[in-house]
Amino acid sequence: MSPRKFFVGGNWKMNGDKKSLGELINTLNTATLNPDTEVVCGAPSIYLDFARSKLDSKIGVAAQNCYKVAKGAFTGEISPAMIKDCGVEWVILGHSERRHVFGESDELIGQKVAHALESSLGVIACIGEKLDEREAGITEKVVFAQTKVIADNVKDWSKVVIAYEPVWAIGTGKTASPQQAQEVHEKLRQWMATNISEAVANSVRIIYGGSVTGGTCKELASQKDVDGFLVGGASLKAEFVDIINAHA
């Protein structure tokens, strides 16, 4: 039995309003959720307070991004201090949409990880290769390099979850096969054992993201090194409950 607590994050992205999110929150609050699974919902920053005040306390809340300092002249940004002030305990950093739509560099993501952890926020740190990188056979090279920048900025691994999200599978309806996901997760764990420590490799949750649905979640959850999910579109639907309960 894995000592790692199964972790399911829902990334709402830039979706929802108070009415629809209120209904979703009500569904989650009244559902029977596996008590052995840690659940965190990533809300748009303008709804962090709303989500935290409405969601049952057993369900965590995450911001979808933050900046690398506590305050200052950074129009449009939010800081870990502000996130914590809303009672929110997590932040998603390095999501492929931040990297590829908004041009965030590995270096900036590393700085954000360091500051979020110094501020006692939990970090869901995202990595993953694009389709051309997978086809060129450099998946490992890409994800190891991304993981190294994150690792160089982590002192306490107990507050970090790694989310492997092959970019070609996000929102495309293409899911990495359970075998493809397991292969990368296993290699990531081996990289951690070699480059950080055996203890960290064995304890850090490595979760999978990329078109996870009620239909694909059970077989993915059965893989030895898949410790949970970061769910996009399906986290806005009732099937999110089935995904949370995928790990029997």
Side-chain angles (χ1 to χ4, degrees):
M1 182 63 195
S2 166
R4 301 182 294 270
K5 185 169 187 175
F6 205 73
F7 184 103
V8 176
N11 180 8
W12 297 348
K13 305 192 182 184
M14 197 177 73
N15 290 299
D17 52 28
K18 283 187 177 175
K19 183 175 183 293
S20 64
L21 294 176
E23 289 165 0
L24 176 66
I25 287 166
N26 190 46
T27 298
L28 294 174
N29 285 349
T30 54
T32 303
L33 305 180
N34 183 341
D36 296 327
T37 295
E38 186 168 2
V39 182
V40 174
C41 292
S45 58
I46 201 163
Y47 296 136
L48 285 171
D49 219 347
F50 174 79
R52 183 62 286 165
S53 64
K54 300 276 187 202
L55 270 168
D56 189 294
S57 63
K58 70 177 183 281
I59 298 172
V61 177
Q64 297 175 11
N65 191 25
C66 67
Y67 198 51
K68 62 180 179 180
V69 293
K71 60 180 184 178
F74 302 103
T75 301
E77 292 291 322
I78 62 170
S79 71
M82 294 171 178
I83 293 167
K84 290 209 63 157
D85 195 36
C86 292
V88 171
E89 294 295 325
W90 289 90
V91 64
I92 301 169
L93 290 173
H95 192 279
S96 69
E97 287 147 22
R98 299 306 316 171
R99 293 174 187 268
H100 304 306
V101 180
F102 298 101
E104 292 192 11
S105 66
D106 269 339
E107 183 188 17
L108 176 60
I109 292 160
Q111 291 166 339
K112 289 181 175 193
V113 167
H115 180 62
L117 291 170
E118 281 157 15
S119 309
S120 310
L121 272 183
V123 171
I124 301 166
C126 304
I127 58 172
E129 82 283 5
K130 297 190 296 211
L131 184 60
D132 58 336
E133 292 166 336
R134 175 163 279 267
E135 288 175 343
I138 57 170
T139 294
E140 283 170 53
K141 184 180 165 205
V142 170
V143 297
F144 291 169
Q146 291 170 335
T147 306
K148 182 178 188 322
V149 178
I150 293 161
D152 287 347
N153 287 284
V154 176
K155 294 186 184 79
D156 177 6
W157 281 94
S158 70
K159 306 278 285 185
V160 179
V161 171
I162 298 287
Y164 168 60
E165 299 200 294
V167 180
W168 48 271
I170 298 174
T172 58
K174 290 180 185 160
T175 311
S177 71
Q179 294 71 29
Q180 283 174 315
Q182 167 59 24
E183 184 184 6
V184 176
H185 284 229
E186 185 176 10
K187 293 207 166 114
L188 279 166
R189 216 177 287 288
Q190 289 165 354
W191 184 92
M192 287 180 164
T194 305
N195 294 278
I196 306 164
S197 74
E198 197 79 47
V200 166
N202 289 331
S203 63
V204 168
R205 274 112 28 118
I206 306 175
I207 64 175
Y208 171 78
S211 299
V212 177
T213 64
T216 58
C217 62
K218 268 210 158 25
E219 198 185 347
L220 281 162
S222 70
Q223 303 299 310
K224 183 167 75 74
D225 290 293
V226 175
D227 302 315
F229 305 116
L230 187 58
V231 185
S235 70
L236 293 156
K237 303 175 187 160
E239 73 183 285
F240 188 48
V241 173
D242 300 327
I243 298 170
I244 291 167
N245 293 331
H247 190 62

